[in-house]
Amino acid sequence: MVLGVAGLSVGLALGGVVLLVALGWTLQRTVDEEAFRTADAVARLAAEDALPDPLPVAGGQLRVQVVDSVGRIRAASIDADRLVPMVRPDQLAGDGRRRTVVPGQRLGWQGPVRVVAVPAQAAGEPVTVLVGRSTVDVRHATQAARTVLLVAFPLLVGLLAVVAWRVVGATLRPVEALRSGAAEITGRDAADRLPVPASQDEIHRLAVTLNDMLDRLSAARARQRSFLADAAHELRSPLTNMRTELEVAQRLGDRSDWPAVAADLLVDTERLGRLVDDLLLLARLDEQPARPPGPPREAEPVELGGLLAEVAARRPGQRADGPAVSGPGQRADGTAVSGPLVARGPSVPPVAPGSPAPPVVTVAVAGPAWTVGVPDELRRVLGNLVDNAVRHARGRIVLAVEPAVDGAHHLVTVTDDGPGIPAADRERVFRRFTRLDEGRARDAGGAGLGLAIVRELVRRGGGTVELADAGPGLVVRLRLPVLPEPD
């Protein structure tokens, strides 16, 4: 604010100087114009050889002389000197209209006198009309203006400083309130927010924006705390099991079945390793910046039918080169599909409930279905979906791919004949560490991260994922971007 007041003071000072100069120039020009008008009138009288004596002059601020070529005064106003010209003889030399300043003592006045000279003719002889005008009133007006500025300038600067201080203070008061409010936020209370001023201005919008940012940070912190708590809980379960088994085996001593203990520990270790891998993957996905629309940089063409067969072949007891089936088929959601179907796996009838490894059957419309994506990520997506279906299926799991109908996305479905998921929970299961009550009872090692990883990877690849009713069972629908079939 000090710099602003200083700049304003300099501006006002420069403005005052310009005002004084303009005022002096204007008054001086007025004096010259009045003197020249009087001189022109006397010159016309001289040309008509009608010079009166004394010369008529309006007011007491003008004195007029008519001087011939040798410096003699031919006529003068009533109060002008009739013996000595207003100017020296050398100043009378020259042609044209001229102006000069002479000391006031030559005319009996105080201060400088403005004298103008206008050539004329009187009785055929050249003469010069001299008109003197006092500049005392000009000097007095200029001095009065300077005095007023010198007195008013400090007062005006002081007044402006006070007004600026009050205005800037009122403007910055909400900012100070924001600063003090920010200083009081410690992060321990999630409800801490900045005060929002009532004025609908930029400060108000800034406070609202900052509070929105605090809401997002608070939500992110809550998600992080929940994530850490759930991760700690999930990690504690296999560690507790491992410790309990080792303590029991240690107490039993030689009576312990160490091969069985080792097998149980291996199962818990594998579960722990899967959980750590899932947590690391989610952490990497969260740290990566948002990708622009379109496939990722490391994406490459992937044939979905072959990828489904590869995923199904990894399941125990499955084959990826089953017989071809032609004729009308059926989509995973129960609607009819016309055209030849290719079955990459045996045609297996439904297995009785309780079967530990339901068969996985792949069904695809004849012809390649090319997409663009990261192969490892697509394998991870389909693997998670198949693992989830295996834990809940009663008879079998069907993997199907349908070429794009809209020309933009292929449809990949993973269908199981398990209990399904209620419609109210189909969006919630995509959250991290979310397991339904039935899943908690039957889940053999699941931590509730599989579907969360699926949605994140599919979204980053430019696709979508949703759950639907298979009647009975559940169908997961993946829509993956289409890649034109390569030559």
Side-chain angles (χ1 to χ4, degrees):
M1 194 185 92
V2 175
L3 292 178
V5 174
L8 182 61
S9 301
V10 173
L12 290 177
L14 293 177
V17 172
V18 172
L19 177 62
L20 290 177
V21 172
L23 178 62
W25 180 82
T26 302
L27 293 177
Q28 190 63 56
R29 184 178 178 182
T30 301
V31 169
D32 291 345
E33 290 178 352
E34 182 182 0
F36 275 120
R37 283 197 301 270
T38 302
D40 291 337
V42 174
R44 286 193 296 271
L45 291 177
E48 296 173 358
D49 197 16
L51 287 174
D53 192 17
L55 295 173
V57 176
Q61 296 293 325
L62 293 175
R63 292 185 181 180
V64 183
Q65 291 178 335
V66 179
V67 183
D68 59 16
S69 58
V70 295
R72 292 178 300 180
I73 298 176
R74 301 284 297 272
S77 61
I78 191 171
D79 52 357
D81 194 336
R82 293 179 174 271
L83 298 178
V84 180
M86 299 180 191
V87 297
R88 296 189 303 272
D90 58 324
Q91 294 176 316
L92 293 174
D95 300 330
R97 302 159 67 91
R98 301 178 303 279
R99 68 192 75 184
T100 185
V101 178
V102 300
Q105 290 80 0
R106 292 181 66 93
L107 283 75
W109 282 337
Q110 297 293 328
V113 176
R114 190 74 165 177
V115 178
V116 299
V118 176
Q121 294 287 331
E125 296 181 2
V127 295
T128 301
V129 179
L130 300 176
V131 177
R133 172 69 163 81
S134 175
T135 59
V136 173
D137 53 350
V138 174
R139 185 173 60 181
H140 288 169
T142 305
Q143 290 178 348
R146 183 164 56 247
T147 302
V148 170
L149 289 177
L150 290 176
V151 174
F153 179 76
L155 298 177
L156 181 61
V157 171
L159 179 62
L160 290 177
V162 172
V163 173
W165 182 270
R166 297 297 299 273
V167 171
V168 173
T171 303
L172 295 180
R173 194 172 296 114
V175 178
E176 174 61 21
L178 290 178
R179 187 204 63 79
S180 60
E184 294 175 357
I185 294 178
T186 60
R188 297 180 179 178
D189 187 359
D192 287 340
R193 292 299 179 267
L194 298 175
V196 179
S199 58
Q200 301 296 323
D201 55 4
E202 290 78 3
I203 305 298
H204 174 86
R205 292 193 291 272
L206 175 62
V208 172
T209 302
L210 292 178
N211 281 335
D212 291 340
M213 180 189 68
L214 291 176
D215 290 337
R216 293 191 297 270
L217 293 176
S218 177
R221 185 168 58 250
R223 288 195 302 269
Q224 184 180 27
R225 290 176 177 174
S226 177
F227 181 81
L228 292 176
D230 291 335
H233 175 75
E234 295 295 336
L235 290 172
R236 185 184 297 115
S237 297
L239 291 175
T240 302
N241 291 339
M242 295 168 65
R243 181 174 180 175
T244 301
E245 292 176 4
L246 290 175
E247 289 178 349
V248 172
Q250 185 180 23
R251 290 189 177 185
L252 293 177
D254 295 337
R255 293 175 296 169
S256 298
D257 186 0
W258 289 106
V261 172
D264 292 340
L265 291 178
L266 182 60
V267 171
D268 288 333
T269 303
E270 291 177 350
R271 177 186 176 189
L272 187 62
R274 290 194 301 269
L275 178 58
V276 172
D277 291 340
D278 291 344
L279 292 175
L280 289 176
L281 177 59
L282 288 173
R284 293 192 186 100
L285 293 177
D286 289 340
E287 291 179 357
Q288 292 178 0
R291 290 176 177 173
R297 185 178 306 174
E298 61 273 18
E300 59 184 67
V302 178
E303 204 281 306
L304 291 175
L307 184 62
L308 292 181
E310 177 185 345
V311 172
R314 293 181 178 180
R315 308 306 302 175
Q318 303 303 312
R319 299 195 311 270
D321 55 351
V325 179
S326 61
Q330 193 174 34
R331 290 189 178 94
D333 58 1
T335 59
V337 177
S338 59
L341 298 179
V342 178
R344 295 180 175 88
S347 178
V348 182
V351 180
S355 175
V360 179
V361 180
T362 61
V363 180
V365 175
W370 289 92
T371 186
V372 58
V374 181
D376 291 339
E377 292 184 358
L378 293 177
R379 292 189 188 94
R380 183 65 178 269
V381 167
L382 293 174
N384 284 6
L385 293 178
V386 171
D387 290 342
N388 189 71
V390 165
R391 286 194 292 268
H392 297 85
R394 295 190 176 96
R396 67 175 183 174
I397 297 118
V398 179
L399 307 182
V401 58
E402 301 175 17
V405 178
D406 58 358
H409 294 85
H410 294 302
L411 177 63
V412 178
T413 58
V414 178
T415 308
D416 67 73
D417 56 357
I421 297 178
D425 296 326
R426 289 173 186 170
E427 185 64 26
R428 186 168 65 91
V429 294
F430 286 104
R431 301 173 186 173
R432 299 175 183 182
F433 297 105
T434 298
R435 290 181 295 181
L436 303 181
D437 293 338
E438 189 273 340
R440 291 182 182 275
R442 300 181 65 245
D443 197 346
L449 295 177
L451 291 180
I453 293 175
V454 167
R455 167 162 284 186
E456 186 66 21
L457 292 178
V458 171
R459 183 186 63 82
R460 296 175 72 85
T464 60
V465 58
E466 63 181 2
L467 305 181
D469 189 10
L474 181 73
V475 56
V476 183
R477 295 174 180 170
L478 293 175
R479 287 181 172 82
L480 302 175
V482 172
L483 175 73
E485 184 175 352
D487 297 335

